[in-house]
Amino acid sequence: MRIAVIGGGPGGLYAAALLKRLDPARRITVYERNAADDTFGFGVVLSDETLGGIEHADPDAYAALRAEMVRWDDIDIVHRGRTLTCGGHGFAALGRRRLLAVLHARCRELGVELRFCTGAPPAAELSRTHDLVIAADGVHSATRQAHADAFRPSVTTHRCRYIWLAADFALDAFRFEIAETAHGVLQLHAYPYAPDASTVIVEAREEVWRDAGLDRLDEHGSADHCAKLFQEALGGRPLRGNSSQWTAFRTVVNAHWSHGNTVLLGDAAHTAHFSIGSGTKLAVEDALALAACLREQPDLPAALAAYEAERRPVVESTQRAARASLAWFEELAGYVDQPSRRFAFNLLTRSRRVTHDNLRLRDPEFVASVEREAGTEPGTPPMFTPFRLRELTLRNRVVVSPMDMYRAADGDPGDFHLVHLGGRALGGAGLVMTEMVCVSPRGRITPGCSGLWTDEQEASWRRVADFVHTESPTAALGVQLGHSGRKGSTKLMWEGIDEPLPDGNWPVVGPSPLPYRAGVNQIPHALTAVELGAIRDDFVRAARRAARAGFDLLELHCAHGYLLSSFLSPLTNQRTDAYGGSLDARLRYPLEVFDAVRAVWPAERPMTVRISATDWAEGGTTGEDAVRIAAAFAEHGVDAVDVSTGQVVPEERPAYGRSYQTPFADRIRNALGVPVIAVGAISSWDDVNSLVLAGRADLCALARPHLYDPHWTLHAAAEQGYTGPGAPWPLSYGAGSRRPPTGRTDAPKPRLAL
């Protein structure tokens, strides 16, 4: 088998060495356009997991690498002159030059042909003379670009500039440091990679970089400027470069990783921001997987398919974490005013891979100190601290998110709603929200949606509220009021989500005559000023009914493409009158409704608003817009912003993943100081503790976990050994407050040998 490897970086070299070791008969050639001792950058960080894979696959290569590595456990975070240390992290690093030298030696030992100072022929040409072409030609991959129609790459350039430098001494920990200057915030990421050397990366937002004049400095000038900026961290020592340039990070994603007998590996296939130390790690893991799949599969097409199937989920998970991390650093200026320990905890948990519980295992005293600074009572997980909105004190930070149940009859909630909402109030959540309660018959999404436009509906909701307040007296019950707009008159979710009713349709309305799906959903009637006033009055009447029914909190639904949301998005609002055009104009009607409702809602009871912080679609609402939208509601007196995303247009492309919507809430909270409710694939109590303690959210709304387990909050308390007032067990349920034994499987085993 003839194999050509384009690119002599760590991924390409390691792939060549593994493939040759597994089958010495393979003829493998590595093309590298630079000289053998040329390299850019300085230190490389590898995880224990990756090193374990190398040890298993090639013990000789592992032994050579291990001899070169430096290890450390601590992370130092310097915030406004105060250094906070968190231990137990376990890093290993070595110089990139030494890594390449070890891999060069291993390749030569195995018989791989290394061609330095030699540009590779085009992949298309190599593919005709070789059985396999491995394109490991980096973030600027010529192979990927030449076959863009097959690989279908997407490259996103981000908002910070950074430069790789080095210091000729070894730091004793991984160090993050913040420099607050007249031009803005810059950050340092630094770590040792040899007994006498450290990598130093300096990063800043594009506008800060330009305002500071760094765009006009050469390599030497940049190194001098950064050394002065972080002179305390460096002990007054200089920094040096190695063909170092300021650049913007680019996230590379490919729809396909192989084309014929050509396959992408490492940065050519995917990139992940350096702040989670992943580039070389991912490339080496790619090489391991590719070599294994070529050995296990019957032919090359099957092997390349198996390689991508194995690696893609891992890479996508890493890229999600990396995007969260880089976004955190892009918004760093919004966090620097946090108390030092909260800032440090926030930084450490920024990617969502490191969590509150995980850090407690690594360094319990560090986490305890963060909790003390936050005023958390000893032995109380952050999620069980109370939170106050106006005169309402919530017993904990858990919210049962609004979930449409589609079980009402003519808008009237029945026994199902009593059991559904009452059960979750008994289950320990601090705030239980109703589904979207519609303000008129034509404001329903489906025939099964509940409402608050009749006396009978008001009485039914009072029955639910009375049950909650009697049987779970410290739980709060909130109502979400909304109007379906152009997304109304559709089937029940399980009969066909967003599909029109087969008969009995009612007319739908919106800001503009734009159907949710052209040719499928109705064309909405564009509301006149008079009709807008009538719908506003529907909201007011429903709010009065909600107050009389006994709800503790009211939320105005301005998300998910329903009526008020469709006024906010430029994709759904194309009006030319006072209610369309600029964002301020698009905000006009939702704010009018908010003000009218707030005027009749009891002053002591809080009012929140749910927004879609992004449409996940080109030309739609952006994260920057969301901050302005939240600010407008805050100016009008909103008590908290419930930050969701999407569901505005069907062509959306959400970046799904664990807690994927929480960065939008985080951004609003830290930009405006307004309380926020975070939602979006928050599934564990560890996530809730992490978000609350880091100051990314004040409350966390969970939906599906509460469908899986109505007593999710009580079980979270039991699993953490918490028995305080933040999660009181109903007296009738007290005997169930401990996890029951699982049976004989966990019984002591008999002694069967001396």
Side-chain angles (χ1 to χ4, degrees):
M1 189 177 192
R2 295 192 66 195
I3 300 174
V5 180
I6 305 173
L13 290 169
Y14 189 54
L18 278 182
L19 290 168
K20 187 70 172 175
R21 180 175 182 269
L22 291 172
D23 186 352
R26 288 171 173 151
R27 297 168 60 192
I28 303 177
T29 304
V30 177
Y31 294 90
E32 172 52 55
R33 63 183 179 180
N34 296 308
D37 58 351
D38 285 346
T39 188
F40 307 98
F42 301 97
V44 173
V45 178
L46 294 174
S47 69
D48 287 341
E49 181 182 39
T50 303
L51 288 171
I54 294 174
E55 181 179 20
H56 179 75
D58 189 344
D60 292 338
Y62 170 77
L65 291 173
R66 185 179 60 181
E68 302 283 344
M69 286 191 150
V70 296
R71 290 182 173 272
W72 72 100
D73 288 324
D74 290 347
I75 294 177
D76 285 346
I77 298 165
V78 183
H79 177 252
R80 293 182 170 171
R82 185 179 184 184
T83 301
L84 300 167
T85 300
C86 181
H89 293 275
F91 293 100
L94 77 165
R96 183 177 173 88
R97 192 184 300 274
R98 289 303 306 148
L99 172 61
L100 293 176
V102 167
L103 293 175
H104 291 160
R106 185 61 175 148
C107 283
R108 291 191 182 99
E109 180 185 351
L110 293 167
V112 173
E113 181 182 358
L114 302 178
R115 296 188 184 181
F116 295 105
C117 301
T118 305
E125 181 180 325
L126 289 170
S127 68
R128 290 193 290 270
T129 57
H130 291 74
D131 300 291
L132 174 64
V133 179
I134 300 174
D137 48 348
V139 65
H140 302 292
S141 172
T143 306
R144 184 184 68 228
Q145 197 59 36
H147 301 284
D149 57 334
F151 296 120
R152 291 170 48 202
S154 171
V155 180
T156 303
T157 302
H158 299 283
R159 294 184 292 176
C160 285
R161 291 276 182 161
Y162 66 96
I163 188 169
W164 289 80
L165 300 166
D168 292 325
F169 76 102
L171 290 162
D172 55 7
F174 203 122
R175 185 180 182 98
F176 290 103
E177 185 165 344
I178 311 304
E180 296 178 70
T181 74
H183 307 288
V185 176
L186 296 91
Q187 60 260 25
L188 172 142
H189 314 242
Y191 57 88
Y193 68 86
D196 59 354
S198 298
T199 292
V200 176
I201 306 168
V202 178
E203 185 180 24
R205 282 281 288 259
E206 175 92 16
E207 62 271 21
V208 175
W209 173 72
R210 290 190 184 279
D211 289 348
L214 294 170
D215 59 325
R216 300 187 294 274
L217 297 181
D218 60 12
E219 179 184 56
H220 181 73
S222 293
D224 283 350
H225 183 95
C226 293
K228 292 174 183 175
L229 201 61
F230 295 102
Q231 58 183 331
E232 184 175 340
L234 301 171
R237 301 175 181 88
L239 291 170
R240 58 182 170 86
N242 179 11
S243 299
S244 302
Q245 299 178 23
W246 291 95
T247 188
F249 188 81
R250 279 161 288 204
T251 297
V252 174
V253 175
N254 284 277
H256 303 287
W257 292 6
S258 64
H259 168 54
N261 65 347
T262 299
V263 64
L264 302 178
L265 185 145
D267 283 354
H270 45 70
T271 60
H273 193 250
F274 59 82
S275 61
I276 64 170
S278 56
T280 301
K281 173 184 183 295
L282 287 176
V284 168
E285 292 173 353
D286 283 354
L288 281 164
L290 179 60
C293 290
L294 285 167
R295 185 178 190 180
E296 295 163 357
Q297 299 300 321
D299 53 40
L300 184 64
L304 298 185
Y307 158 69
E308 183 171 344
E310 176 179 332
R311 289 297 296 155
R312 183 178 287 278
V314 176
V315 167
E316 289 178 345
S317 175
T318 301
Q319 287 185 316
R320 284 193 295 270
R323 278 195 296 267
S325 179
L326 76 85
W328 193 91
F329 283 111
E330 285 179 340
E331 301 298 329
L332 180 62
Y335 302 115
V336 293
D337 289 331
Q338 288 186 323
S340 291
R341 294 190 182 279
R342 168 165 278 185
F343 176 86
F345 181 85
N346 197 351
L347 188 153
L348 291 169
T349 58
R350 67 193 181 278
S351 73
R352 305 194 290 272
R353 285 195 158 183
V354 176
T355 64
H356 174 266
D357 202 44
N358 183 270
L359 277 181
R360 281 201 309 156
L361 292 173
R362 300 180 189 214
D363 192 334
E365 178 48 40
F366 171 80
V367 174
S369 72
V370 179
E371 292 175 344
R372 284 195 299 271
E373 181 188 74
T376 303
E377 291 291 329
T380 300
M383 66 183 292
F384 294 117
T385 55
F387 189 71
R388 187 178 179 87
L389 292 169
R390 295 201 180 213
E391 297 302 312
L392 175 66
T393 298
L394 301 176
R395 63 191 181 190
N396 59 53
R397 306 303 183 93
V398 179
V399 178
V400 176
S401 195
M403 293 176 279
D404 290 320
M405 293 288 105
Y406 310 105
R407 295 298 301 273
D410 296 322
D412 195 15
D415 290 347
F416 179 91
H417 294 81
L418 176 68
V419 173
H420 169 68
L421 296 170
R424 279 143 188 86
L426 291 172
L431 173 62
V432 178
M433 293 297 301
T434 68
E435 61 196 74
M436 184 175 93
V437 175
C438 306
V439 297
S440 68
R442 291 188 175 186
R444 291 176 297 166
I445 309 166
T446 75
C449 290
S450 64
L452 246 179
W453 65 82
T454 70
D455 292 343
E456 291 77 17
Q457 293 162 359
E458 179 184 326
S460 295
W461 283 120
R462 186 182 303 111
R463 176 177 176 235
V464 174
D466 288 347
F467 177 88
V468 169
H469 294 144
T470 300
E471 299 298 337
S472 188
T474 59
L477 184 65
V479 61
Q480 184 188 70
L481 293 184
H483 187 294
S484 60
R486 70 175 190 159
K487 293 179 73 176
S489 191
T490 60
K491 298 177 181 178
L492 305 184
M493 181 181 68
W494 47 85
E495 294 176 350
I497 189 168
D498 295 326
E499 293 182 8
L501 293 168
D503 52 61
N505 285 281
W506 55 87
V508 298
V509 297
S512 303
L514 301 171
Y516 182 64
R517 289 177 299 176
V520 178
N521 298 99
Q522 291 182 55
I523 297 175
H525 164 66
L527 290 161
T528 66
V530 172
E531 291 166 333
L532 290 174
I535 292 176
R536 179 199 60 216
D537 293 344
D538 288 338
F539 274 94
V540 168
R541 283 189 288 271
R544 286 195 172 106
R545 291 187 183 280
R548 291 195 298 265
F551 286 104
D552 303 294
L553 175 148
L554 185 149
E555 178 166 282
L556 191 64
H557 200 343
C558 296
H560 300 167
Y562 299 121
L563 181 63
L564 299 182
S565 169
S566 63
F567 271 87
L568 294 173
S569 172
L571 297 178
T572 51
N573 182 348
Q574 296 181 8
R575 297 174 75 100
T576 57
D577 64 1
Y579 294 104
S582 69
L583 179 56
D584 287 342
R586 299 197 307 273
L587 270 160
R588 186 185 304 274
Y589 184 62
L591 289 174
E592 285 180 2
V593 174
F594 179 89
D595 289 343
V597 171
R598 181 67 269 185
V600 301
W601 185 244
E604 72 279 6
R605 301 187 207 178
M607 187 169 163
T608 65
V609 60
R610 174 170 277 206
I611 65 170
S612 283
T614 177
D615 292 343
W616 299 112
E618 186 175 352
T621 299
T622 66
E624 290 82 3
D625 294 335
V627 174
R628 291 179 58 194
I629 291 169
F633 280 107
E635 289 172 4
H636 283 247
V638 79
D639 296 296
V641 181
D642 188 353
V643 187
S644 186
T645 65
Q647 301 181 48
V648 175
V649 291
E651 59 270 22
E652 66 177 5
R653 297 287 298 276
Y656 289 120
R658 179 170 138 260
S659 303
Y660 72 104
Q661 295 179 145
T662 59
F664 296 96
D666 183 6
R667 183 174 183 179
I668 288 169
R669 186 185 190 278
N670 285 285
L672 305 177
V674 62
V676 297
I677 305 170
V679 303
I682 303 170
S683 57
S684 72
W685 49 258
D686 193 16
D687 289 336
V688 178
N689 283 329
S690 301
L691 291 166
V692 170
L693 190 58
R696 297 191 194 114
D698 300 283
L699 300 166
C700 292
L702 299 91
R704 290 174 183 169
H706 283 113
L707 295 180
Y708 179 77
D709 179 4
H711 295 86
W712 185 88
T713 307
L714 293 181
H715 293 156
E719 288 167 12
Q720 296 175 81
Y722 174 73
T723 58
W729 280 76
L731 294 177
S732 301
Y733 288 0
S737 61
R738 295 181 181 179
R739 183 188 293 272
T742 57
R744 292 184 59 84
T745 55
D746 62 354
K749 299 293 187 289
R751 181 185 292 274
L752 300 177
L754 291 175

